[in-house]
Amino acid sequence: MTEQISPVTLAVSFADLTPDLVLDAVDSCGLHCDGRLLALNSYENRVYQLALDDAPAVIAKFYRPQRWSDAAILEEHQFVRELVEQEIPVVPAIVNAAGDSLHQYHGYRFALFPRQSGRAPEIGDAATLEWLGRFIGRIHAVGAMQTYCHRPAIDQHTFGIAPRQWLLEHDFIPPDLLQAYASVSQQALDGIARCYERAGDVQMLRLHGDCHMGNVLWLESGEQAGPHFVDFDDSRMGPGIQDLWMLLSGSRAEMQSQLTDILVGYEDFFDFDPRQLHLIEALRTLRLLHYSAWLAQRWDDPAFPAAFPWFNSQRYWQDRILELREQIALMDDAPLWPV
């Protein structure tokens, strides 16, 4: 589930990433911090807002060691720059005078971003959903123009088979629940496979990858009014519906209405293949399997037990088994619309 890191001496954890090192790293890029540093809510990476002496604040993202290769990080930076060139409201990594967007300091790789303000969108408003749909359609239109070479896809193997196997082999599941989890997770994978079979050969394209409402900031007024999409760190190849289903919530009727509003805007810029509707619950199930493995693989990071104290308890795994059983039933339901 990781990629080969470039052959330089890199840190192996965040253990030595102190506030002083963060400030010195940003200073090494020619930006002079005034000492004010705010840690932001991020667990996969370490992200900080830093005030500068003579310029607006910047965001510094320190990448988790051993997760992405340099090439994979730069591939994401390039995709976001392509979106900026098309005047799509995203937040790109800052490029220095030498053309570099990825930096290294004392073994830590990091990138700098302009600070983007905003609030969460109003998902109950049809006009807001249509607006979101227009920009996601534009993102996908650009994403379909090229492919990623260094980032794995969101698919049955990377988000389902591999994380399940990792969990079964690393003693995180209580022994008395291991057989039940192994059985129900295999049934879930079988249901996912049926969903993919019904969907057929849908187009794969470069995605945001983690397009939930926490990664969309809304500005109320001015030239930049509307949604701004942030944090493409999980950007991968995948079916376009991956960037749409996480915007849906509520009852089946409510999700149908929300998706209708989103697609009104989306299809102004990119065609929507309705066969992808077969994948919504499959992708939701894949995300659940991947999330449990993600937590387990990060459990030696002290930030994770502190932030997720409920993980790896007997109750946690009991709930995951019940959750997967519910998903197995949902994956056999008809899609939101007839296909």
Side-chain angles (χ1 to χ4, degrees):
M1 296 176 69
T2 59
E3 288 205 2
Q4 182 66 38
I5 303 300
S6 57
V8 294
T9 302
L10 295 177
V12 297
S13 75
F14 288 123
D16 297 322
L17 186 61
T18 64
D20 282 345
L21 192 148
V22 170
L23 293 168
D24 289 343
V26 175
D27 188 71
S28 74
C29 294
L31 301 178
H32 303 296
C33 304
D34 68 7
R36 290 177 292 167
L37 177 151
L38 175 65
L40 302 182
N41 186 26
S42 176
Y43 300 105
E44 180 65 356
N45 304 299
R46 294 294 186 267
V47 183
Y48 304 91
Q49 178 179 302
L50 297 105
L52 304 181
D53 286 332
D54 53 1
V58 295
I59 304 299
K61 177 193 290 185
F62 287 78
Y63 291 93
R64 176 169 292 276
Q66 305 182 74
R67 183 187 181 217
W68 293 126
S69 66
D70 290 356
I73 295 172
L74 292 171
E75 208 170 36
E76 174 236 317
H77 290 184
Q78 175 59 34
F79 177 37
V80 177
R81 285 198 296 272
E82 291 172 32
L83 299 175
V84 171
E85 290 169 1
Q86 297 300 316
E87 300 182 342
I88 297 171
V90 295
V91 181
I94 296 170
V95 178
N96 65 17
D100 299 322
S101 59
L102 180 62
H103 315 285
Q104 188 178 144
Y105 188 80
H106 286 207
Y108 290 101
R109 295 172 302 166
F110 68 99
L112 302 173
F113 300 83
R115 179 181 176 274
Q116 176 64 57
S117 61
R119 61 164 178 81
E122 297 288 344
I123 61 171
D125 179 61
T128 296
L129 291 173
E130 183 178 343
W131 203 339
L132 285 169
R134 284 199 299 273
F135 280 118
I136 295 174
R138 292 180 64 191
I139 289 172
H140 288 180
V142 175
M145 296 173 69
Q146 297 185 42
T147 61
Y148 278 142
C149 297
H150 302 281
R151 288 178 164 252
I154 295 173
D155 58 26
Q156 297 177 70
H157 179 78
T158 59
F159 267 51
I161 296 169
R164 173 185 179 270
Q165 189 65 33
W166 195 95
L167 286 169
L168 294 178
E169 293 175 352
H170 284 81
D171 299 325
F172 274 86
I173 304 166
D176 59 320
L177 296 177
L178 182 60
Q179 186 56 46
Y181 184 86
S183 176
V184 74
S185 57
Q186 183 58 58
Q187 292 175 49
L189 290 177
D190 294 342
I192 291 165
R194 290 193 296 272
C195 290
Y196 271 82
E197 184 176 354
R198 289 193 291 268
D201 188 18
V202 299
Q203 182 181 12
M204 300 285 280
L205 50 103
R206 291 177 297 173
L207 305 166
H208 182 287
D210 194 26
C211 195
H212 56 75
M213 288 300 181
N215 282 332
V216 183
L217 298 175
W218 196 274
L219 295 185
E220 293 290 352
S221 60
E223 293 183 2
Q224 300 297 316
H228 287 69
F229 296 84
V230 300
D231 195 3
F232 279 70
D233 191 60
D234 289 310
S235 182
R236 298 171 180 239
M237 299 290 293
I241 193 68
Q242 170 66 22
D243 281 348
L244 303 180
W245 74 261
M246 278 187 280
L247 302 177
L248 310 179
S249 62
S251 68
R252 181 181 176 88
E254 288 171 325
M255 289 192 291
Q256 287 173 329
S257 176
Q258 292 160 6
L259 185 57
T260 298
D261 293 331
I262 290 169
L263 290 180
V264 167
Y266 184 91
E267 292 200 292
D268 285 343
F269 295 95
F270 198 69
D271 289 336
F272 179 76
D273 182 351
R275 295 180 303 164
Q276 295 180 82
L277 295 173
H278 288 296
L279 298 180
I280 290 178
E281 294 304 331
L283 289 165
R284 194 191 310 275
T285 307
L286 287 172
R287 186 173 176 86
L288 294 173
L289 291 167
H290 183 267
Y291 185 68
S292 290
W294 176 73
L295 289 172
Q297 290 169 335
R298 305 293 186 260
W299 204 237
D300 59 352
D301 180 340
F304 275 68
F308 308 101
W310 36 261
F311 175 68
N312 210 32
S313 64
Q314 188 87 3
R315 177 64 180 273
Y316 174 84
W317 292 107
Q318 289 172 339
D319 288 347
R320 298 295 72 74
I321 290 168
L322 292 174
E323 187 175 54
L324 288 175
R325 285 175 178 159
E326 293 173 357
Q327 284 302 118
I328 291 166
L330 288 171
M331 285 189 289
D332 284 332
D333 284 350
L336 287 180
W337 301 330
V339 178

